[in-house]
Structures are given as C-alpha cells and as structure tokens.
Amino acid sequence: MNEKLKYNKKINICMGEHGKIMNSEELMVNNEKLNVGGEIVFTHGITLISLVITIVILIILASVGIYLSLGNNGIFTKAKQAKEITNKQTATEIINLKITNCQMNKYAEKQVMPTLKELSEVLKDDNEIQYVTEESQIATTKYEVGESPSSIYTKLNDYPYEFEINTSLQLASIDGVEISKENGYIKPERYKRNN
C-alpha cells in the first residue's frame, strides 16, 4: 500500500520533510503523513485518551506511594520507631556496661561484689550520668541516695530514659517499663507470652 494519492480536481501544496514543496499527489499513504480532504493528518502519535489514562495511572501510583511513606504504618513511621528502639537499646547497653565495669573493678580490688550504694557512688562520679536518686523522678539535687537503698534510679545525659537498678545490680525497669528477665532486654507487652 505504498501508492500515491491522486486527486483530479484539487492540488494542495504543502512543505515536505526536507523543505521540498509537495502537492497532495506526492504525499504517501502509509508513511507519516497523508492528505485527507486537503488537511495534513499525522498517522503516528499519542491520542488524548491514552494521555489521560496515563496521567490517571500516575496519580494513583503517586497517591499509593505517598500513603505508604507517610501513613501510620509508613516507611517514615517505622523508621522513627526503629530509631527509638535503637536509642533505648543503646542506652541500656551503656548502663549495663557501667554496672559491669563497676562490678569488675570492685571484684578486682577486694574480691567482693559492690553494693547498690557503692554502685551509686561510682555512677555519681561519671560525667555521662545526669542524676542518681532513690525516687523515680528527675531529682531536684543531682545525687540523693541513702545508706541502704532498695533500688536506685539514674539517667544518662544523652538519652531521655530513666533506669531503675535493683539490689542485685541489674536493670529492673526503663521509664517504668519492667525489663524481661531473659537477656536483660525490654520485652514489650505485645510480644510477651502468656505463661
């Protein structure tokens, strides 16, 4: 079907691809252009309907992507939760390291484990500790520990968590949330098994 159109009555003149003046008889039927009723019609291109459908699909995909990133279970929310868990575990490890360091030093000196009072004295001299107290609140004075405390509360300068240390020199709670006995890590309520 590579034949030329022939018109007996009218000759239309138009500009060709290379600047050559062509009449309607020279326009090809199956190539890029053809002459219909004196108008040039392009046979290759995108229709308005396909353009609208493409835009609608892109809008749907964009809205799904925004919801998945910013929704309640979105990427950013999960990243914030992961950051919070990581910070809490880092602070827990720092406190556990300080307790272990105190135990090793005391045992190396006198072959006995330190008491809670001795641990509180070591912690109050540490520059990374904000306060050591017997009560679960931000202390008005920096160090308030009696002679035989049942537990002490302490807070690191760089982290917003308050730690409770019991008489066996183990972390008992973080911000009032009890720590699981297994591995000394926080076990949130939703993950605890019913025994």
Side-chain angles (χ1 to χ4, degrees), residues 133-152:
T133 182
E134 282 187 79
E135 297 180 20
S136 176
Q137 58 189 359
I138 297 177
T140 54
T141 59
K142 192 170 181 181
Y143 308 105
E144 300 175 4
V145 177
E147 288 303 315
S148 58
S150 60
S151 63
I152 60 171

Side-chain angles (χ1 to χ4, degrees), residues 66-78:
I66 289 171
Y67 175 75
L68 288 177
S69 351
L70 301 176
N72 289 340
N73 282 334
I75 295 170
F76 294 118
T77 305
K78 289 189 184 247

Side-chain angles (χ1 to χ4, degrees), residues 2-177:
N2 210 2
E3 35 186 63
K4 296 181 180 182
L5 291 176
K6 295 183 181 178
Y7 292 96
N8 295 335
K9 298 182 179 178
K10 248 193 215 179
I11 296 180
N12 295 315
I13 298 176
C14 66
M15 210 43 132
E17 290 180 12
H18 302 289
K20 177 182 164 190
I21 297 179
M22 299 174 15
N23 61 28
S24 60
E25 293 178 357
E26 294 175 338
L27 296 175
M28 304 300 286
V29 174
N30 286 329
N31 274 347
E32 292 181 2
K33 305 170 196 147
L34 66 110
N35 189 319
V36 177
E39 296 180 12
I40 296 175
V41 177
F42 292 94
T43 58
H44 300 289
I46 186 167
T47 64
L48 186 60
I49 294 173
S50 62
L51 180 65
V52 169
I53 290 172
T54 304
I55 290 173
V56 168
I57 289 173
L58 287 175
I59 289 172
I60 291 170
L61 288 175
S63 63
V64 167
I66 289 171
Y67 175 75
L68 288 177
S69 351
L70 301 176
N72 289 340
N73 282 334
I75 295 170
F76 294 118
T77 305
K78 289 189 184 247
K80 286 178 186 176
Q81 291 170 349
K83 180 182 176 185
E84 178 71 22
I85 290 170
T86 301
N87 284 341
K88 191 173 276 191
Q89 291 297 339
T90 301
T92 302
E93 290 299 319
I94 291 171
I95 289 291
N96 279 330
L97 184 63
K98 290 183 182 305
I99 293 170
T100 304
N101 193 24
C102 176
Q103 289 172 333
M104 288 187 331
N105 290 340
K106 179 71 173 185
Y107 194 78
E109 288 175 14
K110 299 182 181 174
Q111 276 64 41
V112 293
M113 296 303 281
T115 63
L116 194 56
K117 175 68 175 167
E118 292 169 334
L119 175 64
S120 69
E121 294 297 322
V122 170
L123 291 177
K124 78 176 182 180
D125 293 334
D126 194 327
N127 292 333
E128 292 181 356
I129 299 293
Q130 184 173 345
Y131 64 84
V132 178
T133 182
E134 282 187 79
E135 297 180 20
S136 176
Q137 58 189 359
I138 297 177
T140 54
T141 59
K142 192 170 181 181
Y143 308 105
E144 300 175 4
V145 177
E147 288 303 315
S148 58
S150 60
S151 63
I152 60 171
Y153 295 87
T154 186
K155 182 179 178 299
L156 292 166
N157 287 328
D158 297 336
Y159 297 94
Y161 314 109
E162 182 178 71
F163 299 94
E164 178 187 6
I165 303 170
N166 60 20
T167 54
S168 50
L169 302 183
Q170 293 180 345
L171 289 180
S173 69
I174 299 176
D175 286 338
V177 177

